[in-house]
Amino acid sequence: MSRTPTWLLACLTLVIGFALARVTGVRALGAVVLLAGVGWCLAREVRATPWWRLAVVVVVGAVCFVASHVLADRVGAWPSVLLCSAALGASTALLIGGRRRVAQPAGRPGWGRRATEWLLTYVGPAQIGDPRRPARAATADERAREEELRTTLVREVGPDGTTYLVERRD
């Protein structure tokens, strides 16, 4: 059952919940099935999907649940449930996806980190102070400190892509 896509579980939750409520005449049983289905889908995806996507899918599920009740008067009970469960399945497939996402390898930083480091080569680190004030000339002490740091430290990149300053080995 672990290979069953989450979008299919979301579809079946609405259909089975309605069928159980219809057959038994107890609407609360249908609600139990709906809540169990929501919990099951969330438990399957909580580690692999961002929280906001899960929240959107839950809201879409609630909207589809309400829409199935509204449409039932116009098109009939079963067609409205099937239509709304198809809409829920499609939105779940779009937001969560049918494929499993693979975690980023530990040795390589993500694209956001690489983009930030690339931008830092052009814009540099954040500066403290008022950028509208004219720059002042560096003092002799500041120039001496800068020279000392440049001669005693060297920049190295670790295996995970993180940049470090270490003492020069001469």
Side-chain angles (χ1 to χ4, degrees):
M1 196 64 156
S2 65
R3 294 181 188 254
T4 305
T6 304
W7 65 265
L8 183 58
L9 292 175
C11 283
L12 291 176
T13 295
L14 275 179
V15 173
I16 293 171
F18 174 72
L20 187 63
R22 183 83 172 228
V23 168
T24 63
V26 181
R27 297 177 83 178
L29 287 177
V32 168
V33 169
L34 287 175
L35 292 175
V38 169
W40 190 11
C41 290
L42 288 176
R44 287 173 52 115
E45 294 292 332
V46 73
R47 289 193 177 119
T49 306
W51 68 268
W52 63 269
R53 286 183 183 232
L54 294 175
V56 170
V57 169
V58 170
V59 169
V60 168
V63 168
C64 287
F65 175 76
V66 171
S68 70
H69 286 80
V70 172
L71 287 174
D73 292 337
R74 294 195 177 113
V75 296
W78 274 108
S80 70
V81 168
L82 294 175
L83 180 67
C84 290
S85 82
L88 176 59
S91 63
T92 303
L94 287 174
L95 287 166
I96 293 177
R99 61 179 163 73
R100 291 273 157 219
R101 284 152 301 285
V102 178
Q104 188 75 15
R108 184 171 181 217
W111 70 269
R113 174 80 178 259
R114 291 194 310 268
T116 301
E117 288 181 353
W118 178 79
L119 282 171
L120 282 175
T121 60
Y122 297 104
V123 297
Q127 302 295 316
I128 298 174
D130 188 2
R132 294 170 293 191
R133 285 185 37 204
R136 64 171 178 78
T139 65
D141 289 338
E142 291 171 338
R143 285 193 297 274
R145 175 74 176 145
E146 177 74 19
E147 184 61 29
E148 177 189 356
L149 290 175
R150 288 187 183 273
T151 57
T152 60
L153 300 176
V154 65
R155 184 175 307 192
E156 289 188 8
V157 178
D160 62 345
T162 306
T163 305
Y164 298 98
L165 288 177
V166 296
E167 287 189 45
R168 190 178 297 269
R169 298 180 213 142
D170 288 338

